[in-house]
Amino acid sequence: ILKMLPKSSLQFQSQKYWDSFFKKRQGKAFEWYSQFETLKHYFSQELSTSTSILNIGCGNSLLSEEMFDFGYKSITNIDYSKDAIEEMLERSKLTRPELKYIQMDVTKMTFKDEEFESVIDKGTLDALYSGSDAETEVKVTKMFNEVSRVLKHKGKYLSISLLQD
């Protein structure tokens, strides 16, 4: 895994980096920070199984598949890596065809306003906030504006992050 880490943390913001990362994984799922088994208790407290969920920066994580198997049936997943989305569509087409996977940039989503009751972010904020320059601040602000826009009134944004500041 160390060979796949970027030379600079700013590469975490690059679509090219993520496409390369998922190609090198060769279909093996990768979990940033935590698996659903660890998060299940928290999600159960915050989300009913009928909640419409948007999972931003899904990568090739098992999170949505495991949530679906647990009972969450309305999950839309986005990632701006074409390779990750193609892999996930292929992986779930026979066993979980109801899961939606869409290639999309979290800073310019094409969903309607207030489309989702919840947004799950498992590491996407960390990837975007990998720099301290003005461009990074703009990207993070755009992401939060978009998350706010697609969340229904009183919707929930659940972030799994290692950011400290």
Side-chain angles (χ1 to χ4, degrees):
I1 191 83
L2 291 177
K3 293 178 192 173
M4 294 189 299
L5 291 176
K7 291 174 180 35
S8 159
S9 63
L10 284 175
Q11 285 181 288
F12 281 126
Q13 297 179 21
S14 163
Q15 184 174 358
K16 184 178 175 183
Y17 167 76
W18 289 110
D19 283 339
S20 172
F21 178 88
F22 291 114
K23 271 187 183 145
K24 289 176 184 173
R25 294 287 305 160
Q26 299 177 333
K28 290 182 240 152
F30 188 79
E31 298 301 328
W32 293 97
Y33 310 142
S34 188
Q35 296 177 330
F36 177 66
E37 189 61 35
T38 306
L39 301 169
K40 180 171 46 177
H41 171 75
Y42 302 105
F43 287 175
S44 296
Q45 289 179 342
E46 298 295 328
L47 308 171
S48 75
T49 54
S50 64
T51 299
S52 59
I53 298 168
L54 173 63
N55 180 17
I56 59 173
C58 64
N60 71 350
S61 168
L62 298 171
L63 179 67
S64 290
E65 294 162 302
E66 292 173 346
M67 289 178 71
F68 184 87
D69 294 346
F70 185 74
Y72 295 98
K73 300 301 183 197
S74 181
I75 306 173
T76 300
N77 302 275
I78 66 168
D79 200 289
Y80 78 170
S81 169
K82 177 180 172 230
D83 293 313
I85 293 300
E86 287 175 356
E87 178 184 326
M88 296 308 290
L89 284 167
E90 183 64 29
R91 194 164 85 195
S92 66
K93 75 179 177 185
L94 297 177
T95 55
R96 299 170 189 91
E98 301 90 339
L99 286 174
K100 296 179 193 122
Y101 291 95
I102 305 166
Q103 182 183 3
M104 191 179 300
D105 183 337
V106 72
T107 65
K108 27 186 180 194
M109 293 189 267
T110 57
F111 300 114
K112 357 177 248 197
D113 294 353
E114 297 189 30
E115 188 164 338
F116 300 96
E117 295 166 291
S118 178
V119 172
I120 294 176
D121 169 356
K122 193 172 102 161
T124 300
L125 176 61
D126 293 12
L128 276 180
Y129 226 143
S130 55
S132 58
D133 58 342
E135 185 179 341
T136 296
E137 296 291 332
V138 168
K139 286 180 184 178
V140 170
T141 299
K142 283 181 179 179
M143 183 196 89
F144 279 125
N145 287 342
E146 283 295 282
V147 166
S148 295
R149 184 184 66 74
V150 302
L151 268 176
K152 292 184 186 249
H153 180 68
K154 296 193 179 185
K156 296 180 180 183
Y157 169 68
L158 305 176
S159 177
I160 298 94
S161 171
L162 293 178
L163 290 175
Q164 300 295 311
D165 295 326

